[in-house]
Amino acid sequence: MSIRRLLAFVILSAASPAALALTPALPAPEVAPSEIVAAAPAEAWTTIAADQLLVMDLAPDAAGHARRVVIQLVPAPWSQGWVGNIRKLAQAHWWDATAITRVQDGYVVQWGDPDAENKARAKALPSGLLTTSQGGYVLTGGAAPPLSGPKLADAPYSAKIRYFAGWPIAMEAGHAPATWPVHCYGTVGVGRDMPPDAGTGAELYAVIGQAPRQLDRNIAVVGRVIDGMEWLSSLPRGHGEIGFYQTPAERTPIRSIRLGSEVPDLGTWQYLSTDSPAFARYVAARANRRDAFYVRSAGGVDVCNAPVPIRRALAKR
C-alpha cells in the first residue's frame, strides 16, 4: 500500500461516527422538469390558433434543407398596434423577397427591407398601417386582464412575473400595476429608430443570446419563436456595425412570411397551460433542481430560465 493510500486509510479509520455524520446525505432524486412536462395530461395543453402564428420561410440552406421559422404573436391587449400592422404586412405579402440583414452574436437576428434606410429604394409599406408610439410598450395600471399562474421574483426589472395565456408578463407593484411582456431567448420585437420612433412592425428581430431584459419597456415585444429557432441562431454573424451584413451576398433571403391561417398543411403547436398544476410543478422543479444531475438547488429561477413549454402536436389541421 502506498504511503498516500495508507495515510488516507488511517485518517478515515480514526474519524469518529459523529464526524462522518457531518457530511449530509443528498435527498432522494426527484423528477426533472422535462419529466414533468412529458407526463403532463392532455388537458394541461392549450392549442395555439393558426391565426396567432406567423410563418417565415427562408431560402433553403447550402445543403438544400428547407428553413421554416414559426412565431407566435403576443396576445391582446399587449402590443396590439404593432401586431395589427404585422398582420397587414403578412396579408400583403410585404416580406416576400426581403432578407435577414443583421446577425449580432449573442444578441439578435434582424430582418426586413435591406433598403429601408434609402428613401429612394425603400419598399413601399401597405396602406392602413397604424401609427405607433412608445407609450404602447406598457399597459397602464388596470388595463391588463387578470394575471395568474406562479409568481416569480423579478428584481431589478419588475416587482414580479405572472402569466397570461401562456405568456410571462412583468408587472409593477401595487393594486393596479402597469404590465408588459418580457425579453427572453427567442423573443421577437420591433426594430425602430431613435425615440420617439417606435417602429411599424416591418422590421423585426429575434433574440438569439442571453435575455436582454434592459430592452423591456423600450421596444415593442410582439411574439416569440416556437419552432425553427435553429435556423436563426446558426446564421453567419455579420461583421458590420452591430452585426449588420456589409454586402447583399451575406444576407439570407426571405421567401415569404404568412399568417399561419394562410399556410396549407401547417402543423399544430400547443403550450403547457400556465394555470395548470403541471406548469406550477414544472416551475417549482426549475427553481429547486433535485434531479440526479444536481448537487445543490438554487432555490429560485429567472423567468427566462423557466420558458413556457411548447410542443408540436402530431395531428395536422
Side-chain angles (χ1 to χ4, degrees):
M1 182 180 290
S2 70
I3 295 298
R4 181 177 296 176
R5 292 179 63 191
L6 178 61
L7 181 59
F9 176 78
V10 170
I11 292 172
L12 182 60
S13 300
S16 68
L20 292 177
L22 292 177
T23 302
L26 288 175
E30 296 188 8
V31 293
S34 59
E35 295 175 288
I36 295 171
V37 173
E43 60 269 21
W45 294 91
T46 299
T47 298
I48 302 170
D51 63 2
Q52 295 299 312
L53 300 176
L54 198 65
V55 181
M56 176 165 63
D57 286 324
L58 306 176
D61 67 7
H65 299 126
R67 294 186 285 184
R68 171 168 284 182
V69 179
V70 180
I71 296 164
Q72 182 188 9
L73 296 172
V74 74
W78 292 277
S79 304
Q80 290 307 289
W82 294 275
V83 170
N85 285 350
I86 288 168
R87 292 182 181 280
K88 291 174 183 176
L89 288 157
Q91 290 165 341
H93 300 180
W94 185 85
W95 279 292
D96 293 9
T98 58
I100 291 178
T101 58
R102 173 191 178 196
V103 182
Q104 186 174 1
D105 190 46
Y107 199 43
V108 298
V109 169
Q110 190 165 319
W111 62 91
D113 177 11
D115 296 316
E117 299 300 317
N118 185 331
K119 292 184 179 181
R121 300 178 59 186
K123 192 170 186 177
L125 294 171
S127 61
L129 297 186
L130 296 178
T131 300
T132 61
S133 72
Q134 58 194 31
Y137 302 152
V138 175
L139 279 185
T140 56
L147 305 182
S148 57
K151 298 178 183 179
L152 295 183
D154 195 42
Y157 303 106
S158 74
K160 60 185 173 183
I161 297 286
R162 297 298 302 275
Y163 293 85
F164 178 79
W167 289 78
I169 302 295
M171 56 197 305
E172 292 179 342
H175 175 66
T179 59
W180 59 92
V182 302
H183 278 82
C184 292
Y185 183 79
T187 292
V188 176
V190 175
R192 63 166 175 81
D193 208 335
M194 297 296 286
D197 179 60
T200 62
E203 189 172 44
L204 298 174
Y205 64 83
V207 175
I208 60 166
Q210 185 173 347
R213 293 292 306 281
Q214 76 280 0
L215 296 180
D216 292 0
R217 296 183 285 179
N218 285 286
I219 290 182
V221 170
V222 292
R224 61 186 174 192
V225 176
I226 63 169
D227 203 345
M229 189 66 186
E230 67 274 16
W231 301 123
L232 299 180
S233 62
S234 62
L235 287 170
R237 276 38 179 170
H239 298 293
E241 186 178 3
I242 61 172
F244 276 99
Y245 290 132
Q246 296 175 296
T247 66
E250 297 175 275
R251 300 170 186 149
T252 298
I254 295 174
R255 287 194 165 179
S256 68
I257 296 181
R258 300 285 187 273
L259 291 173
S261 52
E262 298 178 339
V263 179
D265 300 319
L266 184 65
T268 301
W269 286 264
Q270 298 173 319
Y271 66 86
L272 185 61
S273 172
T274 45
D275 288 329
S276 68
F279 182 74
R281 290 195 298 271
Y282 160 79
V283 171
R286 280 280 191 174
N288 302 282
R289 297 299 295 261
R290 288 191 290 271
D291 40 301
F293 179 82
Y294 285 83
V295 176
R296 197 169 275 111
S297 166
V301 65
D302 177 83
V303 59
C304 295
N305 284 327
V308 175
I310 295 176
R311 69 181 187 182
R312 184 167 184 171
L314 294 178
K316 291 187 175 181
R317 299 181 207 285

